[in-house]
Amino acid sequence: MVIHTAIAADRVSPLADLLEQARTQRMPLAELFTAAEGLNAAGQKAQAAELYKSWIAFNDGNSLLHMAFFNYSVTLRQLGDVAGSIHALRACLKLDPQFAQAHINLGRALEDCGLTGQAIQQWRAYTSLTSDITAERVSHRLMILQHIGRVMEGAGLLVDAESTLWQAIELRPDKPEAAQHWTALRQRQCKWPTLVASEHVSQRQLLDGMSPLTLGCYADDPMFQLAKAYRYNKFLAGRADANSSLRKPARLKSGTGQPLRVGYVSSDLRDHAVGFALSEVLDLHDKSSVEIFAYYCGEPRTNDATQTRMKNAVDHWRDIATISDAAAAAQIAADEIDVLIDVNGYTKHARTKIFAYRPAPVIVNFCGYPGTTGSPFHQYIIADEHIIPPENEIYYSEKVLRIPCNQPIDRKRQIAAQPTRTEAGIPENAFVFACFNGMQKITRACFANWMAILTATPGSVLWLLVGDEDVNQRLRQAAAQCGVAPERLIFAPKAANPQHLARIGLADLFLDTFPYGAHSTAADAITMGLPIFTVPGKSFASRFCASIVAAAGIPEMICSTPEEYIRRAVAFANDRESLAKVRESLQRQRETSVLRDIPALTRRLEELYWQMQGEAERGETPVPDLQNLDIYYEIGAEIVLSNVDFEDEQSYRQRYLEKLVQWNDYAPLARDRRLWSEPTA
């Protein structure tokens, strides 16, 4: 924040005259701000800083001196003088200890210098000063608590972050930002139940604050997932200035021999699951058919082999991380992109608002996010028949187009030499169940299923990826409460990707999570010859693993219910010969399976891009269907809070229909193309 005044109409005086006025105390503070703004606007930031410095030196008796120090700090920061900016902010706070924006900026400066502990301490100093509440101080206190929680989360201080964010939630339970992080933190720590209300915060408010991605780990409810995405986009992620749309008609490309210009936008074009998935696709694109642009919006990378490979594979690489959404959209429009691929959706570092400017005639949701965007500007989603069968298209705002398998893989991934079981930290002769999904995907019901399996198979162990030690201990305690010896849970330490891939195949059977199943992790397991048990639900995230298992040629490993999942896992542990046949089948089909036919997948993607282009040229680009989603959100929230872990499709839809009837009885609802489609509903 900079403290502004109206810029005077008069021409800015030469610097020497301004400095003389400052030295002789003939320049009021308002004129200082006006002159400094004029210099900044003219690109003369160093001169503006010099003016602030002189005015401060000769006007130390001014009652508003702290405001001059604050603006001086902003100018120094813009010049890259972080140390000078910190000095100025500390001088400002010495004069006015309750100046909120100075506390906020000083904390951010310390954080940017890597001094996260000092940043947190600085922000906490302000919260201790603001026990007397005014509307302005509530706003500042909320912002600072959220900053503290965010930095603590990034530093791995999960318990402290959760506690701090809870203070922010109780301060303003109607604001969703803190609840987004808080609910995700609860999932990462396997704290069940995830949503815990208090006297001041209801479960519904916590659910309202939950992000679409976090919801995918919480409930298998694709209709509510769509409504949540719609709400998230409308209020938090996607709205741009209506007057700034870059929308242009599709350029004629079909039949001209010109390549289609395709842009991939992602923060994960690097050593990341998404980067690994897309690497070979980018390698194999037919450059006579498509010209590939990559727009990277992630953190800076050095010595990143995956990113280097991608840069070499694409025709044009654009780093848009440091420019605004509007500027990034303008760059995409200037590149005359025909088909723009959103590879982030609602994941970390997503730049959803870029797409809201509509910088390309066709915008596609693909690869990075397991669900619908519920947005008015994503026209297509690419999936496969297992993830989105035709009857499930009602759960998506985009038009659904399909490829053979929605999980591209990189057949060139580096894999280290396989260790022994002893070297990997697991028993040589025990039956080893494994799950290498993130801790946030483990729900209470999922863990209970695993404990039922271990109880029925004495001597077996469960191999999980290591979490924070308090999370590991929490799971050990939960196992003991289920009558399972805690030492039967074994935690694999963190390892570089080649070493992690090498050890995966040492397990006997991979147990998938529900409702958010394994995605790239499943592809890794299959690649290393490890069979997977999965139970597909109704949502994108819950059906992804089944798609991978089917594409690998072992659809018999897909279970229809949690009960079947438990029963068959126990049966395999007691009949290793039967499981050996599955592994042999998996190995035999490895190189011929749909999962590893990346050339065919890439050709199909290009066909779909050209199909979208043709539809755009003919004026047939689909319009996202957002009808009645506010109503579906209200109904879905009520259903999700009833905590049904697993439900068949027919029962699920019937519950929604019954509530739609009630809503319609109260006030008639417009018909839609989802569940409220027929007058007899």
Side-chain angles (χ1 to χ4, degrees):
M1 183 186 93
V2 179
I3 300 165
H4 293 282
T5 62
I7 298 178
D10 298 336
R11 179 179 59 85
V12 176
S13 302
L15 180 61
D17 183 34
L18 294 173
L19 293 174
E20 177 63 18
Q21 291 180 50
R23 187 184 67 80
T24 57
Q25 300 182 357
R26 290 184 292 114
M27 179 180 286
L29 185 68
E31 289 185 15
L32 168 67
F33 290 159
T34 298
E37 278 196 20
L39 292 168
N40 277 320
Q44 299 174 321
K45 295 186 185 301
Q47 291 88 333
E50 184 65 24
L51 178 59
Y52 276 124
K53 184 170 76 171
S54 294
W55 193 94
I56 288 168
F58 297 106
N59 293 267
D60 60 339
N62 192 290
S63 62
L64 297 176
L65 182 62
H66 65 284
M67 298 172 70
F69 269 116
F70 181 81
N71 273 22
Y72 181 37
S73 75
V74 173
T75 301
L76 290 172
R77 188 64 192 269
Q78 292 170 345
L79 286 168
D81 184 358
V82 181
S85 179
I86 289 173
H87 279 302
L89 286 166
R90 284 180 171 149
C92 170
L93 288 171
K94 195 169 288 186
L95 294 166
D96 184 357
Q98 295 195 358
F99 192 7
Q101 283 295 340
H103 282 283
I104 293 169
N105 284 16
L106 180 52
R108 290 301 299 269
L110 293 167
E111 179 192 358
D112 291 343
C113 292
L115 303 172
T116 55
Q118 291 186 37
I120 291 169
Q121 185 178 8
Q122 184 63 45
W123 289 324
R124 278 181 165 164
Y126 178 76
T127 62
S128 67
L129 292 171
T130 54
S131 55
D132 55 323
I133 297 299
T134 65
E136 184 179 23
R137 284 185 172 173
V138 166
S139 177
H140 288 142
R141 183 181 179 87
L142 180 67
M143 185 185 303
I144 281 178
L145 286 169
Q146 289 173 175
H147 277 316
I148 294 172
R150 174 182 56 79
V151 172
M152 284 179 163
E153 181 183 4
L157 303 172
L158 305 187
V159 175
D160 291 336
E162 181 190 339
S163 174
T164 301
L165 289 168
W166 182 252
Q167 294 179 53
I169 293 169
E170 289 207 308
L171 190 64
R172 287 294 303 271
D174 58 316
K175 294 286 188 180
E177 291 84 354
Q180 280 185 46
H181 288 274
W182 184 85
T183 52
L185 277 171
R186 296 275 298 179
Q187 288 181 337
R188 282 180 63 188
Q189 297 175 89
C190 297
K191 288 188 173 179
W192 310 314
T194 302
L195 305 184
V196 180
S198 74
E199 181 182 353
H200 307 292
V201 184
S202 68
Q203 276 195 321
R204 172 60 191 269
Q205 287 172 319
L206 294 172
L207 182 63
D208 287 344
M210 188 178 279
S211 75
L213 191 64
T214 301
L215 177 63
C217 297
Y218 186 74
D220 180 37
D221 190 327
M223 191 65 79
F224 187 58
Q225 188 79 35
L226 166 61
K228 167 68 78 171
Y230 164 75
R231 181 185 173 110
Y232 185 82
N233 183 281
K234 183 167 66 171
F235 292 115
L236 291 173
R239 192 168 184 86
D241 182 354
N243 298 320
S244 301
S245 175
L246 300 170
R247 190 189 316 222
K248 293 181 181 178
R251 300 166 187 84
L252 179 62
K253 290 289 184 74
S254 300
T256 66
Q258 300 178 64
L260 200 62
R261 291 192 164 200
V262 176
Y264 290 89
V265 181
S266 177
S267 62
D268 299 323
L269 304 178
R270 55 186 176 86
D271 282 344
H272 180 277
V274 171
F276 299 145
L278 279 180
S279 289
E280 191 168 358
V281 170
L282 296 181
D283 285 341
L284 294 175
H285 268 312
D286 180 358
K287 299 304 177 62
S288 67
S289 175
V290 291
E291 183 178 358
I292 302 299
F293 291 71
Y295 298 93
Y296 179 64
C297 56
E299 297 171 344
R301 308 291 291 184
T302 55
N303 301 318
D304 188 305
T306 302
Q307 186 167 99
T308 299
R309 178 179 168 188
M310 288 181 152
K311 286 182 176 180
N312 292 332
V314 301
D315 299 291
H316 311 275
W317 179 274
R318 309 273 194 249
D319 193 327
I320 60 170
T322 60
I323 63 176
S324 69
D325 294 328
Q331 175 67 67
I332 292 166
D335 287 336
E336 299 186 340
I337 298 300
D338 300 301
V339 177
L340 188 63
I341 317 298
D342 181 357
V343 191
N344 267 120
Y346 301 133
T347 59
K348 189 176 181 180
H349 298 311
R351 300 283 295 276
T352 309
K353 196 169 290 186
I354 290 173
F355 304 93
Y357 288 101
R358 303 176 192 259
V362 174
I363 296 175
V364 186
N365 171 15
F366 172 58
C367 192
Y369 176 68
T372 182
T373 59
S375 96
F377 39 83
H378 289 78
Q379 301 131 339
Y380 297 90
I381 183 172
I382 296 176
D384 61 48
E385 64 180 359
H386 294 280
I387 295 174
I388 310 180
E391 63 272 19
N392 282 15
E393 291 182 11
I394 62 171
Y395 303 132
Y396 299 82
S397 59
E398 309 93 338
K399 179 177 179 178
V400 181
L401 298 178
R402 295 176 177 85
I403 53 179
C405 176
N406 215 63
Q407 179 63 56
I409 64 171
D410 178 15
R411 297 170 299 175
K412 300 177 182 178
R413 291 270 292 282
Q414 183 182 354
I415 302 171
Q418 189 177 62
T420 65
R421 277 191 164 192
T422 299
E423 290 170 338
I426 55 177
E428 288 288 346
N429 298 315
F431 192 94
V432 178
F433 295 104
C435 182
F436 299 115
N437 291 348
M439 291 283 189
Q440 74 278 7
K441 296 183 181 182
I442 304 174
T443 66
R444 172 183 277 170
C446 174
F447 191 78
N449 291 340
W450 290 349
M451 294 305 99
I453 292 169
L454 291 186
T455 299
T457 55
S460 65
V461 298
L462 178 60
W463 196 18
L464 304 171
L465 280 183
V466 69
D468 289 346
E469 184 50 39
D470 64 327
V471 181
N472 301 340
Q473 188 58 30
R474 184 171 296 111
L475 291 180
R476 292 188 187 104
Q477 291 171 354
Q481 291 169 3
C482 293
V484 174
E487 58 268 22
R488 292 177 67 188
L489 269 59
I490 300 174
F491 295 94
K494 293 179 180 179
N497 194 255
Q499 283 69 36
H500 176 59
L501 288 173
R503 68 187 176 184
I504 288 175
L506 295 172
D508 292 298
L509 183 63
F510 188 111
L511 297 176
D512 193 23
T513 47
F514 183 90
Y516 197 128
H519 295 179
S520 59
T521 306
D524 290 345
I526 292 288
T527 295
M528 302 312 300
L530 177 59
I532 300 176
F533 252 149
T534 187
V535 181
K538 297 169 286 295
S539 62
F540 194 115
S542 73
R543 299 182 64 84
F544 205 134
C545 186
S547 166
I548 294 169
V549 170
I554 51 170
E556 66 271 20
M557 302 301 284
I558 301 172
C559 304
S560 58
T561 66
E563 292 74 23
E564 180 189 349
Y565 171 91
I566 295 170
R567 176 177 54 79
R568 294 185 61 200
V570 172
F572 271 128
N574 293 325
D575 183 6
R576 297 197 185 193
E577 184 177 338
S578 178
L579 184 59
K581 291 178 181 177
V582 177
R583 296 191 77 131
E584 187 278 328
S585 173
L586 189 59
Q587 186 62 34
R588 186 176 66 252
Q589 300 177 78
R590 186 176 189 272
E591 296 306 322
T592 59
S593 68
V594 171
L595 182 63
R596 293 184 68 80
D597 194 351
I598 306 306
L601 182 147
T602 306
R603 296 290 83 77
R604 176 59 178 159
L605 276 176
E606 292 165 0
E607 289 174 4
L608 293 181
Y609 296 159
W610 276 104
Q611 177 183 333
M612 298 173 202
Q613 174 68 17
E615 292 179 0
E617 291 175 10
R618 297 189 299 272
E620 299 172 1
T621 299
V623 176
D625 179 9
L626 307 175
Q627 181 75 25
N628 283 343
L629 290 184
D630 287 318
I631 303 299
Y632 282 108
Y633 185 89
E634 294 301 319
I635 293 172
E638 185 178 346
I639 289 175
V640 166
L641 289 175
S642 67
N643 296 315
V644 175
D645 293 318
F646 182 86
E647 189 172 32
D648 66 76
E649 185 76 30
Q650 183 177 353
S651 300
Y652 168 76
R653 293 192 181 200
Q654 186 60 36
R655 288 218 290 165
Y656 265 92
L657 277 170
E658 289 170 358
K659 293 184 182 299
L660 284 165
V661 168
Q662 294 170 6
W663 275 79
N664 187 67
D665 286 344
Y666 177 75
L669 301 178
R671 296 291 166 178
D672 58 49
R673 290 180 284 175
R674 295 190 171 90
L675 297 178
W676 194 242
S677 58
E678 298 296 333
T680 56

